[in-house]
Amino acid sequence: MSTVTNDPIRAYIVNEFLAGEDAEDLTDDFDLIESTVVNSLGLVRLISWISETYSIPVDDIPLEPAAYRTLADIRGFVSKAAPAAV
Amino acid sequence: MAAEKAPDTYGITAPYGDELNDDVTHWDRIGEFPHDKWKPLQRSGLFTLPFAPEYGGAGRTLTETMAALEGLGHTSRDAGLNFSASTQIVSVGIPLQAFGSEELRGRYLPQVTSGEAITAHAITEPSHGSDVMNIRTTAVREGDEYVLNGGKMFITNAPVAGLFLLYVRTGKPGAFGLSTFLAERDTPGLTVGEPLETMGLRTSPISEVTLEDVRLPVGNRLGSEGAGFLIMDYVMKREVLFSFAVNLGEMTHRLKRVVEHATTRQQFGSAIGKNQAVAHKIADMRIAVETARKWLYDTGLKVQQGKDASLDVAATKIVVSEANQLTAQHAIQIFGARGYLTGTGIERELRNATAGSIYSGTNEIQRNCIAALMGL
Ligand SMILES: Cc1cc2nc3c(=O)[nH]c(=O)nc-3n(C[C@H](O)[C@H](O)[C@H](O)COP(=O)(O)OP(=O)(O)OC[C@H]3O[C@@H](n4cnc5c(N)ncnc54)[C@H](O)[C@@H]3O)c2cc1C
């Protein structure tokens, strides 16, 4: 599980949405929304966490659920909006 | 004690204690905002604390601001005024600094940090209180403007406020359709209702705010369209930390008063505090106060460090508001009939404490939130 500790976004999702569950299936292209791992309340929290953790101005935060579908999607926009962070 | 953690901010309102505490019983009875007591708060620099120096701020951290508000709660017996003061810091200033355009910040933040413009934030609606993500007041874009229609309810400071932050719907139902706008009081179509009569916090005026074809320039929007829930989340975390830090100071003062009474009031030939029934109540008060302190500063630090603190904030809100109610209730019992009299100010503290389990998201909603965060 070294990836969990090295990747704060993955760690956050595992800790907050998959606590106590086997996180092995959480590959970079696992669909977080379709699988309902992240529901609407979770999405709101995830976006708030990303915005605060990476100090990304709200204007640079995508506000549609599709942008948060997979770990790869999330990392994609975070690395664009806050290149030093990821 | 927070006083040891940040003594420089904890004591900033202490020199103004006499002015702040002048005839608190009278102001509570008439239930009006004490304008003259706002001035010592302005002079103290309280409103400048968490803001950047270029806007007249003192550039202090979140926990230093909490310590100052705790100090206010310890100094001032006017919990309504204290609540209005924490609302002043958090309602407009905090989101404006974090999400406002340079233009908006430059124009309005100095008025907030000086306390010249009293501020309010309007989220709750008559039909949507707890169900906040489904508020109905709308803002429809027309060219370079938005046209706002709807109504807000129970808005702290509204009767005396010059600046309002309005949370409204610009898009689809649910969280992603919310946006946030700054409005001046005299904007045509924005009407503030008469102050509503309340049980406690009577010097902190609350009222309805009606919006009828209120036209605001696009530039008055904070953040992008749809970012309202993000701003709300950011603000509510800080609202809980700031307004309940005030309660911590109030409780600390209450505890001191109770100990003093329990050690001096004699019955059956000894101090009433020598009775286990009384002493245990005081021990429970101490536990409640210290638990509140730990939750507040632990959560404050987490938020300050940018860690996810959603569950912590919800728990802090519950712990501190319930500690405030418990300690106020115990204080009345320990003061006996004297606690029941208006003149001693003890009964006022129970009335004031009652609101804490309602505002900033009711304690039921906070428990729902904790349960949801635990996957229930
Ligand atoms: C002193 C004071 C100051 C305030 N200041 C402001 C302000 O500045 N700005 C602002 O926008 N608002 C403000 N409010 C309003 C406050 O945010 C609301 O009162 C609060 O969100 C609850 O809404 P409501 O009163 O409509 O109660 P309702 O939502 O009608 O709830 C009534 C009761 O039902 C319970 N309930 C509702 N839904 C659920 C559920 N799903 N599960 C369990 N229980 C539930 C609630 O917990 C509550 O006990 C203030 C309120 C007070 C008392």
Side-chain angles (χ1 to χ4, degrees):
Chain A
M1 293 295 258
S2 61
T3 47
V4 169
T5 46
N6 292 340
D7 176 356
I9 298 174
R10 189 173 202 281
Y12 176 81
I13 290 172
V14 170
N15 288 336
E16 299 298 325
F17 304 110
L18 291 166
E21 302 212 17
D22 182 3
E24 287 301 311
D25 289 343
L26 186 56
T27 52
D28 277 4
D29 58 356
F30 182 87
D31 195 321
L32 297 162
I33 312 278
E34 188 73 29
S35 61
T36 68
V37 163
V38 179
N39 61 16
S40 55
L41 171 67
L43 196 56
V44 168
R45 289 182 49 234
L46 174 63
I47 297 172
S48 298
W49 177 78
I50 289 171
S51 143
E52 285 203 44
T53 306
Y54 296 103
S55 302
I56 304 177
V58 277
D59 288 346
D60 296 343
I61 291 254
L63 291 168
E64 67 278 0
Y68 303 86
R69 205 165 266 289
T70 67
L71 266 175
D73 291 335
I74 299 170
R75 258 189 234 117
F77 90 76
V78 172
S79 59
K80 257 190 250 155
V86 178
Chain B
M1 302 284 273
E4 286 148 18
K5 261 195 232 158
D8 52 342
T9 57
Y10 186 86
I12 68 164
T13 50
Y16 306 93
D18 288 347
E19 285 171 83
L20 296 172
N21 290 322
D22 184 39
D23 221 350
V24 177
T25 309
H26 162 76
W27 286 102
D28 176 67
R29 187 174 297 128
I30 64 171
E32 281 176 21
F33 179 74
H35 279 281
D36 282 349
K37 297 187 182 191
W38 196 249
K39 292 175 188 143
L41 292 179
Q42 289 176 278
R43 289 200 299 276
S44 76
L46 180 73
F47 303 137
T48 68
L49 286 173
F51 300 106
E54 59 263 41
Y55 307 114
R60 306 306 290 256
T61 64
L62 184 142
T63 47
E64 285 170 333
T65 306
M66 287 171 65
L69 285 161
E70 182 193 340
L72 173 68
H74 190 263
T75 296
S76 160
R77 303 279 54 75
D78 188 339
L81 179 70
N82 300 348
F83 186 62
S84 282
S86 70
T87 302
Q88 170 74 10
I89 294 177
V90 82
S91 58
V92 171
I94 290 284
L96 189 54
Q97 172 158 272
F99 305 105
S101 64
E102 192 48 56
E103 217 271 295
L104 280 188
R105 287 202 295 248
R107 184 154 17 123
Y108 292 111
L109 262 181
Q111 299 177 35
V112 177
T113 56
S114 67
E116 180 195 327
I118 297 177
T119 65
H121 56 174
I123 305 164
T124 309
E125 298 180 352
S127 62
H128 288 80
S130 299
D131 188 9
V132 65
M133 290 298 168
N134 289 309
I135 54 178
R136 285 193 187 154
T137 296
T138 53
V140 177
R141 186 154 177 173
E142 284 184 11
D144 291 340
E145 290 182 330
Y146 282 90
V147 185
L148 282 69
N149 278 289
K152 298 290 178 181
M153 191 72 178
F154 310 127
I155 308 308
T156 296
N157 287 352
V160 291
L163 283 176
F164 292 83
L165 202 66
L166 307 167
Y167 291 80
V168 303
R169 186 163 301 287
T170 46
K172 54 193 160 198
F176 294 95
L178 301 180
S179 301
T180 309
F181 293 88
L182 191 65
E184 293 184 16
R185 183 192 188 89
D186 58 8
T187 310
L190 189 156
T191 314
V192 176
E194 287 298 309
L196 300 163
E197 194 76 24
T198 56
M199 166 186 180
L201 301 176
R202 289 174 51 76
T203 51
S204 177
I206 66 174
S207 71
E208 275 188 75
V209 176
T210 310
L211 307 167
E212 263 177 19
D213 290 330
V214 172
R215 289 187 169 269
L216 293 174
V218 171
N220 277 34
R221 195 186 65 215
L222 266 63
S224 48
E225 260 200 26
F229 77 91
L230 263 179
I231 298 174
M232 197 188 300
D233 183 74
Y234 185 92
V235 168
M236 292 317 289
K237 281 179 184 146
R238 285 143 183 91
E239 171 164 296
V240 165
L241 293 168
F242 289 164
S243 71
F244 290 96
V246 171
N247 286 174
L248 175 60
E250 291 163 353
M251 286 192 282
T252 308
H253 184 273
R254 182 177 310 146
L255 182 57
K256 274 191 202 160
R257 248 190 111 177
V258 164
V259 170
E260 193 182 277
H261 183 71
T263 48
T264 52
R265 171 75 180 161
Q266 303 270 324
Q267 286 296 288
F268 302 101
S270 63
I272 57 169
K274 290 292 173 201
N275 299 294
Q276 197 181 56
V278 174
H280 279 189
K281 277 198 178 61
I282 296 174
D284 286 345
M285 288 176 75
R286 177 69 188 257
I287 294 166
V289 172
E290 297 308 329
T291 308
R293 183 184 310 286
K294 286 181 207 293
W295 271 100
L296 272 165
Y297 284 100
D298 186 72
T299 305
L301 207 55
K302 261 191 166 173
V303 171
Q304 188 166 297
Q305 291 167 344
K307 294 183 181 158
D308 185 35
S310 303
L311 194 147
D312 306 72
V313 170
T316 302
K317 201 260 160 174
I318 294 169
V319 167
V320 187
S321 61
E322 292 180 359
N324 201 20
Q325 292 172 355
L326 175 103
T327 56
Q329 183 79 59
H330 279 358
I332 293 188
Q333 194 65 20
I334 292 167
F335 269 81
R338 288 165 183 78
Y340 193 68
L341 295 184
T342 312
T344 50
I346 303 284
E347 61 80 38
R348 187 177 66 239
E349 300 203 4
L350 181 60
R351 287 188 283 109
N352 291 335
T354 303
S357 55
I358 301 171
Y359 58 72
S360 306
T362 69
N363 287 14
E364 289 81 5
I365 295 300
Q366 301 295 350
R367 285 189 165 88
N368 287 353
C369 182
I370 292 171
L373 293 177
M374 293 171 68
L376 299 168

